[in-house]
Amino acid sequence: NFNPAHFFALTVYILVNKTDTNVSMIYRLGWNADLSCYNLPSKEGLQTFYRNREETRQLNVLEFKMKQNEVRQQKGELKEWQEHIARLAENNSNLCFAIYTAFTPIFLTPLNRDGTILHFFGESSKGKSVMLGVAGSVWGNYGKGYIPWNGTANGIENLALQKNDSLLCLDELTNLKTREVIEQVAYLIINGQSKNRADSRGIGFGNRTAKTWNTMVLSSGEPSFAAHIANLSGEIKGGQTVRFIDIPAVISAEYGVFEDLHEFKENPKKLAEFLRDASFQYKGTPINAFLDYIFIENNFDSILKEIEVLKTEWLGFNLPVNAASQVGRVAEVLSSIAAAGVIAMKSAVLPKKYGFTKTAVFEDVAKIFRRWLNEIEDYTIPSEVKVIKQKLIKFWLENQNNFYCNGQEEWSRPPIQHKCVGIMSKKPDEQEHKFSVIDQTVFYIFQNFLENEALKGLNLNYCKKIIREKNYITPYVEKYGDDQITYRSTWMVHYTKTNSKMRCYKLNL
């Protein structure tokens, strides 16, 4: 506490007595706001790598204390990590991809790219967690190298700040039990910004400055992200599919996530256990050697240019010509991972004697990309269009017994189960054409149900444009007694014996 009378003397002292060292208080790890240096925590304190080696040095100080389980660990030697982990990743595309991903986050912010959640899903006890442990060993993540998917929004904010411009490994997606928790936790990570909060001094002082981060997440769980959100009665939006990338992890029922068991003949469980133990014993040294290579032994900006060239080269080999825009964005993410893997190979962190070559790195990432393409099936259709079609199909499946059966006698009509959402129109047996039919069963959904229920939450104008273009709804067709067919622009169908007409859309799914 200072005597107010002496405060002036203190202020003069601070202004007059200049120091030789500039000190910067930082609220997160990773890149400084001006991208001048990269900060990494260690037991000895904050380690700073400067982008420009000729630049005047300054002292960076974290404005918060890091706990022991938050500090990066270093165990063993680099050669031991290479022998016990990198060697066994050879010919195993999942393990190689996890390792390449670990080296990627350093380049995202300088390249103006956002973080992504790469989620590997599949049956339990197939080795998915081992992939996270292997990736975590590159950075020296505490304990197993990964933590469970759970926590509060505030806790996740702190976690994202700790892992800014580095790798966060999260296991068991099903720990997120509700859609609200997923929106709070998972979306908070990829949105890269804290919530707006009022200043602690109260009204009149505005909000606190929002904290930002750019974190790459390697995740695992039995269900895919999309399936888990669907199970919780939620929906993943089209644009989010390129930030939540669902990748099938299990390659075969026999070997799980592995392709080559090396000396662990026909026993994937032993290989998984060995890698789990090795990831705990040898960690932290790969990222140190990699940072020395890109910041000290080489010019970082030259490395960035090389990354861009490698990305373009990988995309040229692997991106389908007729791919939808979202496919291109996912491919762009994977191209960054392929490029980082090549740089790690050139740095000798990933030794050539264990099969790490540029061709091998490109092919490992290409395998993951092909698996993702197979998962999404038709890669020429944008994900927003798929969402619209899936919503229409889901609505029809849930309400197929709620269509008024037009053109049938009262006694033969199936009863409406809940509510009438549209009309199922059939050609009456041995009767004249009387209703809006050709020679097949058709379903007409009432306009209000299409807009308020089937396409709820989506942009209606955009949806209507898409469903017309893709023929998910088709023009109203009517067949008269002389077999003449007419197409009407106003889609009206007869409804009940009163012969009233209702505005409908004919489904063509």
Side-chain angles (χ1 to χ4, degrees), residues 1 76 87 97 142 172 201 210 281 285 336 378 416 470:
N1 296 317
R87 177 179 65 84
F97 183 81
Y142 183 79
E172 291 301 334
R201 290 172 291 179
Q281 295 174 16
T285 50
S336 299
D378 191 348
I416 296 294
K470 299 296 180 182

Side-chain angles (χ1 to χ4, degrees), residues 378-444:
D378 191 348
Y379 56 78
T380 61
I381 299 178
S383 55
E384 290 93 341
V385 176
K386 288 183 180 178
V387 167
I388 293 169
K389 184 175 182 180
Q390 287 164 3
K391 283 178 78 77
L392 288 172
I393 293 173
K394 181 182 177 184
F395 178 85
W396 182 83
L397 289 172
E398 292 175 350
N399 292 278
Q400 56 185 311
N401 294 324
N402 297 328
F403 285 82
Y404 176 85
C405 194
N406 204 9
Q408 283 186 306
E409 295 296 331
E410 196 75 41
W411 60 270
S412 64
R413 293 178 185 148
I416 296 294
Q417 300 296 318
H418 300 291
K419 58 189 175 184
C420 187
V421 300
I423 298 169
M424 180 178 70
S425 193
K426 282 187 173 183
K427 176 186 177 183
D429 295 333
E430 300 178 357
Q431 293 184 29
E432 296 179 0
H433 288 286
K434 187 178 178 182
F435 300 98
S436 307
V437 294
I438 300 189
D439 293 319
Q440 59 185 346
T441 301
V442 291
F443 289 87
Y444 297 91

Side-chain angles (χ1 to χ4, degrees), residues 35-70:
L35 300 182
S36 61
C37 58
Y38 183 86
N39 302 290
L40 197 66
S42 64
K43 285 186 177 179
E44 293 74 32
L46 207 60
Q47 193 175 3
T48 301
F49 294 87
Y50 290 90
R51 187 168 181 170
N52 183 352
R53 285 172 290 178
E54 308 302 322
E55 207 170 68
T56 304
R57 297 295 184 262
Q58 67 176 27
L59 176 64
N60 290 323
V61 179
L62 275 175
E63 67 177 37
F64 59 89
K65 269 190 175 181
M66 294 193 73
K67 299 174 184 176
Q68 184 181 359
N69 64 345
E70 296 168 349

